[in-house]
Amino acid sequence: MSNFKWKRAVIKVGSSLVSPTGEGCSAEFLLPLAQFVSAAHKQGKEVIIVSSGSVAAGRRIVPVTHTPSIAEKQAMAAIGQTQMMANWQRFFDRPCAQILLTYADLKNRTRYVNIKRTLAALLKHGAIPIVNENDTVAVNELKVGDNDNLAAYTAIVSGADTLVICSDIDGLFTADPRKDKDASLIPKVTQIDQALFDLAGGAGSKVGTGGMKTKIEAAQKCMGSGIQALIVNGRTSSTFDALRDNECPGTLFVPEASDHSARRLWLTHTLDCQGKVFVDAGAKNALINTGASLLPSGVVGVEGQFEAGDAVNIFYKDDLIAKGLVLLDCQDLERVIGLQSKQMEATLGFSTSIEIVHRDDLVLLPKSDND
Ligand code: GLU
């Protein structure tokens, strides 16, 4: 078994665990998982759950003999979501917090930053965020479509170091273990290529949306962002004993690069910058040499039209030194140029974070990127 360490994990729980029969919610497989989460909390670790199962949970209340229409499925999700949340809450003394997301929310910068801040606040206050796709509003192009990929996005937006995908299969195999008796478990993956996707063909359960393909896609998103991903069998309680001992009983996907450099790639390459923020020498020094966030006191100028959550280029004079997600829109930022953080609220008339660009959302650009 491969060893791994973690501090903040997203645990994805598939429908086949929440609703093993495909109808209603069950505690059967969730108890060992919840005990694992509670034990992790005691060690100061943080957990976000991405839970499927709303459609399956609501199916009993909207019994249809035909293939359900989209509206019927959405009705099942609306009913099942509350039941699924109530089912989760029974396992924990901490409050469970419902977060319903769509792909459209994750693509929108302002919403993205709001999701990030809300998750951080929930974790800070000891709650367990429980994320699902907002099935009642999302159709096709607005949807992530499967909770494996949704869990990967959740890991990225929450700054998690680990994604654990709890499935009803032990991990990734060299062939489909249901058809090939020589199939063996792959304990560690360091690179994802087409051959690996080919291995995934067909292996999946009937209850959830995702098969092994979406799990590998999720692992790929994580690896590219410096996050390790695990596929484990959530149906066997020994899985959680192993995880408690920091051992991966399934397949461990190891990120290509260190957290920082992978995140840097993600921020550097994924986001188009909407504007420019100019900083003074003190702020430049703090960003480059002390790993600080950008505060309003270090800002000397703003250029371009941008919303809170957009990416901006950060300049010292003519030098492009960094890029990051800005927490205020351009008009508000103009108004707080040069202020101390504690003066911002009085000037803006609403409370905001003390940073203009938080360190977690900022990448320094090496000299060569400046030329
Ligand atoms: N969001 C769906 C549900 O809760 C599940 C999607 C999936 O399992 O991938 O029923």
Side-chain angles (χ1 to χ4, degrees):
M1 280 194 239
S2 308
N3 269 85
F4 74 108
K5 284 206 176 93
W6 65 283
K7 181 89 186 60
R8 179 180 291 176
V10 170
I11 302 184
K12 188 263 173 176
V13 188
S15 296
S16 64
L17 303 179
V18 176
S19 179
T21 60
E23 272 190 35
C25 290
S26 156
E28 189 182 352
F29 298 117
L30 303 191
L31 185 59
L33 191 152
Q35 284 167 338
F36 166 71
V37 172
S38 299
H41 281 143
K42 289 207 180 85
Q43 297 175 334
K45 295 177 173 176
E46 295 173 322
V47 173
I48 296 167
I49 293 174
V50 172
S51 178
S52 305
S54 69
V55 174
R59 190 162 282 144
R60 201 175 275 162
I61 320 281
V62 188
V64 287
T65 45
H66 53 267
T67 308
S69 66
I70 291 177
E72 282 166 343
K73 265 194 157 174
Q74 289 175 320
M76 290 174 193
I79 294 166
Q81 179 64 27
T82 59
Q83 304 202 340
M84 192 251 273
M85 286 302 296
N87 193 43
W88 276 115
Q89 187 63 73
R90 329 193 254 151
F91 298 107
F92 299 108
D93 289 334
R94 295 165 175 249
C96 292
Q98 170 174 280
I99 309 250
L100 296 175
L101 301 178
T102 64
Y103 190 54
D105 299 323
L106 292 158
K107 281 281 147 194
N108 177 291
R109 302 266 177 262
T110 311
R111 293 187 192 184
Y112 186 92
V113 172
N114 282 331
I115 296 163
K116 186 179 171 70
R117 288 189 194 158
T118 305
L119 287 170
L122 287 168
L123 292 175
K124 186 173 156 205
H125 292 283
I128 306 174
I130 303 198
V131 179
N132 194 6
E133 183 124 43
N134 194 350
D135 287 315
T136 49
V137 300
V139 281
N140 301 332
E141 69 276 14
L142 294 178
K143 275 191 115 159
V144 177
D146 68 88
N147 278 10
D148 297 319
N149 280 292
L150 179 67
Y153 287 127
T154 305
I156 292 169
V157 68
S158 65
D161 49 43
T162 304
L163 168 65
V164 182
I165 299 179
C166 295
S167 178
D168 55 0
I169 185 162
D170 290 343
L172 181 64
F173 282 80
T174 51
D176 187 341
R178 292 161 219 217
K179 294 185 190 137
D180 186 342
K181 65 175 176 37
D182 293 329
S184 61
L185 181 77
I186 303 174
K188 197 186 251 186
V189 172
T190 51
Q191 207 185 351
I192 293 182
D193 53 18
Q194 189 50 46
L196 205 79
F197 273 105
D198 293 344
L199 286 181
S205 87
K206 286 198 200 70
V207 183
T209 312
M212 195 47 86
K213 178 171 171 275
T214 53
K215 292 177 183 33
I216 297 178
E217 283 171 2
Q220 193 173 34
K221 285 192 178 72
C222 285
M223 283 168 78
S225 302
I227 301 166
Q228 61 191 344
L230 292 76
I231 301 177
V232 297
N233 193 339
R235 288 192 167 212
T236 29
S237 59
S238 60
T239 290
F240 299 101
D241 298 334
L243 292 178
R244 210 169 286 146
D245 292 339
N246 290 330
E247 282 173 351
C248 173
T251 304
L252 176 67
F253 296 80
V254 183
E256 293 125 7
S258 75
D259 191 325
H260 178 260
S261 63
R263 191 165 169 73
R264 178 179 180 282
L265 289 177
W266 174 69
L267 280 167
T268 311
H269 299 299
T270 317
L271 302 174
D272 292 333
C273 284
Q274 308 297 321
K276 295 180 182 177
V277 174
F278 294 87
V279 301
D280 64 15
K284 176 195 168 187
N285 183 40
L287 294 181
I288 294 178
N289 298 322
T290 68
S293 294
L294 178 62
L295 303 178
S297 54
V299 177
V300 293
V302 177
E303 223 178 86
Q305 293 295 317
F306 50 85
E307 303 285 328
D310 281 343
V312 291
N313 281 321
I314 300 170
F315 283 84
Y316 172 66
K317 298 188 174 160
D318 288 334
D319 289 341
L320 175 60
I321 56 168
K323 176 177 173 177
L325 301 178
V326 67
L327 290 162
L328 291 176
D329 68 27
C330 50
Q331 284 89 8
D332 287 337
L333 182 51
E334 290 266 13
R335 295 166 61 206
V336 300
I337 286 177
L339 295 187
Q340 295 300 315
S341 294
K342 56 180 184 297
Q343 299 172 294
M344 283 212 292
E345 185 170 339
T347 305
L348 293 172
F350 57 85
S351 77
T352 174
S353 28
I354 60 162
E355 303 90 8
I356 298 302
V357 178
H358 191 277
R359 187 68 203 186
D360 290 349
D361 298 327
L362 182 139
V363 281
L364 294 175
L365 300 175
K367 257 274 172 239
S368 57
D369 291 1
N370 305 351
D371 300 336

